Amino acid sequence: MLSQIGKLLLQHGAETELVETSIKNAAMKLGCQELAILIFPNAILLSLPSGDKVYNTQLYKAERQDVNFTALDKVIGVIEQIDETSDRAKLLEALKDEKSLSPMYPYYLRNLMAGLGCGAFSLLFGGDFYIFAAAFIASTLGFYLNSFLLKHYFNPFISIILVSFVTTISSGLLTLHNEMAHIAIASSILFLVPSVAFINSVNDLTKRHYTTGLVRGVRGVIISFAIAIGISLALHLLGVEKFV
Amino acid sequence: MILDISIGFFVSLSFAILFNAPKRSLIPIIILGIGAVLIKKYMLLYNFSLEFSTFIAAFFIGLVSIYFSHKQNIPILVYAISSSIVLVPTVNAYKAMMGFIQISTHQINNQELIIQSLHYGLRTWLVFGAITIGIVLPTQFLKKYRFKIL
């Protein structure tokens, strides 16, 4: 049960300190005093004492990593429910049932919101309404492609390159002879920015979880380079001089 | 002013939905996003530098999200990440990248271009650093008042 908690938290984008303290908290509530945890960027090592000098140690892997804050909220709610009287099998079942654990917002809403957010961001840098429309269309298209590729189990980095390529091409074509084309391109790519990775990285580094912090930081840097590769490919096709 | 408020509203709401934030945390995220946009804008109007005003806005997000996370029992991360998207310096990053592409393809002798793109690149990294440090800092020295689990 503890491992399931940790795995879920690690999969859905929690920082290391949060994973560790919530596992410890749940262990205390389940009545287990001694516990050793080692957290890797994509795995958890748990060691529980059972009897005299006999330890149960096991390694659990987190299969994928995405961002899903509702799941974090639900897992913490389950930890709160644990006490002497509660039915443990039921809680474990609740943790294992992924569908009910993290109800996603409807797909079309997320797609629309990706477009709206990036469009509004272009207004922040002084774009006009036409730029807003271009960023909206480009990022909606990009988000659609992104979720399509991830559904078919593409390598995430390659899919990021492809998505940023397509987004830049479409926003660049829409604003081909416009002076503010750079605003449209720069803001339509925004939904790919690895903000969770960067903030988690600094969070971990300052709380002395150096390994996970470094790995998350490197992951963020790789994602941003992938975005840059996609954009530069697209701009070479369209002609660099037009978009300075 | 109204434009800024609506920008903050839409950007923070849409990224909260993209990151699948819980429904009861949407209103605090929107409040934080609007506050961050307004703080950054008015500090820039009073001639503070971009880095410093971003830092203060991120600090505001970190500080207020501690309050909300205590009240609603949700990790700080949920509030901080979705609302700090408004501070990301995309145009600077884009200009730096464009400059580097131009240098690498042709225009080797153009010194002004090299210095300009270096300037934009450094600025992007500094602003990124300001965002992350500004968010993380309040959670460090207010450890006592932190969220029960976190």
Side-chain angles (χ1 to χ4, degrees), chain A residues 100-119:
Chain A
S100 75
L101 193 67
S102 55
M104 305 288 272
Y105 286 99
Y107 177 69
Y108 64 91
L109 182 67
R110 297 175 67 211
N111 209 334
L112 190 74
M113 276 304 173
L116 256 181
C118 296

Side-chain angles (χ1 to χ4, degrees), chain A residues 13 18 21 68-70 73 80 104-105 110 113 117 121 125 182 190 206-207 231-232 235-236 241 243-244, chain B residues 14 18-24 73 75 77 85 88 90 94 97-98 101-102 105-106 136 140 149-150:
Chain A
L18 179 63
T21 39
N68 187 345
F69 288 150
T70 307
D73 182 31
E80 293 249 309
M104 305 288 272
Y105 286 99
R110 297 175 67 211
M113 276 304 173
F121 209 84
F125 287 108
H182 65 275
L190 198 78
T206 49
K207 286 167 188 164
I231 296 177
S232 58
L235 288 181
H236 275 296
E241 284 75 25
F243 295 101
V244 176
Chain B
S14 55
L18 275 192
F19 292 146
N20 209 7
K23 279 202 182 82
R24 62 203 165 99
N73 234 357
L77 214 68
I85 293 280
V88 174
T90 42
Y94 177 79
M97 202 198 70
M98 284 304 296
I101 290 174
Q102 274 178 308
T105 48
H106 35 253
V136 172
Q140 298 290 314
I149 289 177
L150 190 72

Side-chain angles (χ1 to χ4, degrees), chain B:
Chain B
M1 179 85 179
I2 292 170
L3 184 69
D4 287 324
I5 289 178
S6 54
I7 287 171
F9 177 85
F10 278 116
V11 173
S12 45
L13 175 68
S14 55
F15 278 92
I17 285 177
L18 275 192
F19 292 146
N20 209 7
K23 279 202 182 82
R24 62 203 165 99
S25 73
L26 288 183
I27 293 171
I29 287 173
I30 290 168
I31 293 171
L32 286 171
I34 292 173
V37 170
L38 289 182
I39 287 176
K40 190 184 165 192
K41 169 149 192 191
Y42 283 100
M43 283 189 73
L44 284 176
L45 273 185
Y46 286 108
N47 286 330
F48 286 101
S49 71
L50 177 63
E51 291 84 1
F52 186 67
S53 44
T54 308
F55 174 74
I56 295 291
F59 195 79
F60 162 78
I61 288 175
L63 212 59
V64 180
S65 62
I66 291 176
Y67 167 75
F68 280 124
S69 82
H70 205 89
K71 204 176 164 194
Q72 292 190 321
N73 234 357
I74 298 175
I76 293 172
L77 214 68
V78 177
Y79 303 104
I81 287 175
S82 330
S83 53
S84 69
I85 293 280
V86 273
L87 303 173
V88 174
T90 42
V91 171
N92 276 339
Y94 177 79
K95 278 183 180 166
M97 202 198 70
M98 284 304 296
F100 287 125
I101 290 174
Q102 274 178 308
I103 293 167
S104 61
T105 48
H106 35 253
Q107 306 187 15
I108 300 166
N109 291 323
N110 196 342
Q111 286 193 356
E112 196 185 324
L113 186 68
I114 294 172
I115 289 176
Q116 203 185 24
S117 46
L118 258 182
H119 166 79
Y120 282 124
L122 281 177
R123 192 151 216 204
T124 309
W125 278 112
L126 278 181
V127 174
F128 256 121
I131 294 170
T132 45
I133 304 266
I135 285 173
V136 172
L137 207 59
T139 64
Q140 298 290 314
F141 62 68
L142 289 176
K143 221 166 194 169
K144 210 185 204 174
Y145 304 102
R146 254 166 41 179
F147 171 53
K148 287 163 235 158
I149 289 177
L150 190 72

